[in-house]
Amino acid sequence: QERGFRGGRVRRTYFADPRSRRTTWMDPRFLPDQWEQRIDPQTGRVYFQYHKTRQTTYVDPRGCPRGWDMRISKNGDVYFAYAPAQQTTFVDPRGLPRHMEAALDEHGRMFFKDHQAKTTSWRDPRDEQPKNVLERWRLVESVRWWADQVWREIDELSRSVAMDDDDDGIRRHPMGFVM
């Protein structure tokens, strides 16, 4: 749904949570498996529930780099799982510059791959960076992640529309509309 201003100003989409009967500007789509976005009925603040442990957090689980997943322990601690090494860490792998990638070795120690210089390092490039640089890196990574999710969804819809062509040559939308 949309809420906006009169006079041709920008309109923003908002999202409703039927359980709390509250609305938010935060998009609930593209959550990883086992995660759900909710709104606190008293404060209106968005939080996330991890179904495997039934724990909640205000930290958004989206935007993890490829191979990484955010999880919550039974004690409520947020941690990150790195599938290629089958290891976990409490250090968030998000928010690196575009040419950098976080990884874990077989002992669970985080290291950093610099694809530009073709090197690896134990030193976290986020250390000793000014707050505005870290915020910019995080924003650039987040925008890139959201764009990837949207394009992936468009590709899936395009494939399903192509598969829904009937023998009569009429192209149908996945919801059954004639296109």
Side-chain angles (χ1 to χ4, degrees):
Q1 297 191 8
E2 289 187 327
R3 205 189 277 180
F5 302 100
R6 293 183 185 195
R9 294 204 176 145
V10 176
R11 297 173 68 87
R12 281 180 71 184
T13 301
Y14 67 93
F15 303 91
D17 179 10
R19 272 186 294 261
S20 65
R21 298 181 182 195
R22 302 288 298 251
T23 60
T24 182
W25 301 114
M26 189 177 281
D27 192 333
R29 294 173 291 184
F30 307 121
L31 283 165
D33 289 341
Q34 303 295 325
W35 285 94
E36 183 178 349
Q37 178 175 304
R38 295 189 172 180
I39 303 172
D40 184 318
Q42 275 74 42
T43 66
R45 191 169 174 196
V46 172
Y47 66 96
F48 302 90
Q49 180 177 22
Y50 186 55
H51 292 293
K52 280 189 176 182
T53 59
R54 296 189 181 127
Q55 296 292 324
T56 62
T57 181
Y58 290 111
V59 178
D60 193 332
R62 294 173 285 203
C64 285
R66 202 162 280 176
W68 288 91
D69 287 313
M70 187 176 118
R71 301 178 182 173
I72 305 178
S73 71
K74 291 179 181 175
N75 298 334
D77 298 320
V78 171
Y79 68 98
F80 298 86
Y82 184 60
Q86 296 182 344
Q87 295 289 334
T88 62
T89 182
F90 290 106
V91 180
D92 193 336
R94 300 174 288 190
L96 292 168
R98 186 175 181 103
H99 63 279
M100 300 290 293
E101 174 186 351
L104 295 177
D105 70 5
E106 65 275 0
H107 303 291
R109 294 178 300 189
M110 185 173 277
F111 66 97
F112 301 89
K113 300 176 184 178
D114 185 334
H115 296 289
Q116 199 170 30
K118 298 185 180 353
T119 60
T120 60
S121 173
W122 296 110
R123 193 180 81 63
D124 190 332
R126 298 170 292 194
D127 291 346
E128 300 175 16
Q129 290 292 332
K131 187 176 181 180
N132 65 328
V133 170
L134 295 173
E135 288 172 357
R136 187 174 62 242
W137 287 352
R138 187 79 174 213
L139 177 64
V140 167
E141 184 179 54
S142 177
V143 167
R144 191 172 55 242
W145 183 88
W146 277 96
D148 288 347
Q149 299 307 307
V150 169
W151 281 112
R152 189 174 296 132
E153 185 76 14
I154 289 170
D155 286 344
E156 288 177 20
L157 284 172
S158 296
R159 273 187 247 121
S160 71
V161 167
M163 292 171 60
D164 286 345
D165 284 348
D166 284 344
D167 292 334
D168 58 7
I170 298 173
R171 180 168 268 196
R172 298 189 188 319
H173 185 275
M175 298 295 287
F177 306 112
V178 175
M179 296 174 40

